[in-house]
């Protein structure tokens, strides 16, 4: 691979799920990503953007999950190891943030080990859970989504044993 190699980003399709899962396996084993069932990828497929090399190899992906009127989460942002440092993650994140703006979201949250990467893109570590007001918090408590529960730091989800950081960006 050379610096002249290029890639494109597009919305995910059902045929991509198998390739997404294949790319997540080593990341799940290294405890960088939380394992998900295949059905979860299909259910949230419309949230995903895919990065592909010129020869059609899936080299990265990421998802944007809307949590509330003004709040969304970047989920499952990953790049194939050999493509790290080539702008794939940045391009995916920019696309997801553009999607957030188009949806009317003004804040984007993530759970990540890659603090430095997200800081370079304007995110900051959340010091507390004041990102939502008490009324919205009570509404979010009704969600069955595990990502929302992690964002709220609810006792029903496992403690943050992975050691990742909660980060947020004001768009």
């Amino acid at each position: 691979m050379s610096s002249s190699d290029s890639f494109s980003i597009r919305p995910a399709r059902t045929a991509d799920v198998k390739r997404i899962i294949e790319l997540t396996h080593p990341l799940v084993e290294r405890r960088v990503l939380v394992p998900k069932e295949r059905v979860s990828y299909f259910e949230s497929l419309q949230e995903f953007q895919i990065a592909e090399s010129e020869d059609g190899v899936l080299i990265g992906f990421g998802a944007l999950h809307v949590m509330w009127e003004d709040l969304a989460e970047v989920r499952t942002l990953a790049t194939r190891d050999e493509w790290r440092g080539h702008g794939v993650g940045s391009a995916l994140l920019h696309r997801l943030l553009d999607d957030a703006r188009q949806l009317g979201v003004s804040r984007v949250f993530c759970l990540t080990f890659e603090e430095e990467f997200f800081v370079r893109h304007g995110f900051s570590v959340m010091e507390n859970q004041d990102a939502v007001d008490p009324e919205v918090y009570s509404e979010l408590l009704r969600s069955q989504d595990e990502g929302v529960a992690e964002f709220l730091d609810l006792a029903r989800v496992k403690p943050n044993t992975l050691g990742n950081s909660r980060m947020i960006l004001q768009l």
Side-chain angles (χ1 to χ4, degrees):
M1 172 178 9
S2 70
S3 60
S4 64
D5 288 329
S6 65
F7 58 91
S8 59
I9 297 184
R10 63 166 175 79
R13 298 187 286 257
T14 57
D16 295 318
V17 170
K18 181 180 179 186
R19 298 188 311 158
I20 290 170
I21 292 170
E22 288 169 359
L23 186 54
T24 65
H25 281 304
L27 299 170
V28 167
E29 287 176 7
R30 293 192 322 241
R31 295 176 45 106
V32 172
L33 290 179
V34 176
K36 292 182 183 178
E37 297 295 331
R38 182 179 304 263
V39 67
S40 295
Y41 287 105
F42 282 110
E43 289 174 340
S44 61
L45 189 65
Q46 68 280 2
E47 299 176 351
F48 275 83
Q49 295 289 335
I50 298 296
E52 280 184 325
S53 65
E54 285 182 327
D55 56 355
V57 174
L58 185 136
I59 59 173
F61 52 84
L64 180 76
H65 179 78
V66 175
M67 297 170 68
W68 196 252
E69 177 182 8
D70 63 340
L71 183 65
E73 179 184 6
V74 169
R75 291 184 173 176
T76 324
L77 180 62
T79 302
R80 192 174 292 280
D81 284 343
E82 60 269 23
W83 279 86
R84 289 183 66 128
H86 291 269
V88 176
S90 291
L92 282 164
L93 182 58
H94 286 293
R95 175 68 61 89
L96 296 172
L97 295 177
D98 287 344
D99 290 349
R101 287 181 190 95
Q102 289 176 13
L103 291 167
V105 172
S106 60
R107 296 175 299 157
V108 178
F109 156 79
C110 69
L111 284 168
T112 184
F113 290 105
E114 300 293 338
E115 256 187 58
E116 187 177 309
F117 171 82
F118 283 95
V119 165
R120 284 195 316 264
H121 291 87
F123 283 75
S124 59
V125 175
M126 292 176 61
E127 299 300 326
N128 55 46
Q129 297 304 307
D130 292 341
V132 294
D133 65 42
E135 183 179 320
V136 172
Y137 184 91
S138 68
E139 291 282 342
L140 287 173
L141 285 174
R142 297 178 185 158
S143 174
Q144 297 302 307
D145 185 277
E146 289 301 306
V148 172
E150 287 178 298
F151 171 74
L152 297 175
D153 204 18
L154 299 181
R156 72 175 172 87
V157 294
K158 65 183 181 323
N160 187 3
T161 56
L162 295 179
N164 51 12
S165 299
R166 287 179 167 79
M167 300 187 76
I168 197 156
L169 170 70
Q170 183 76 38
L171 296 175

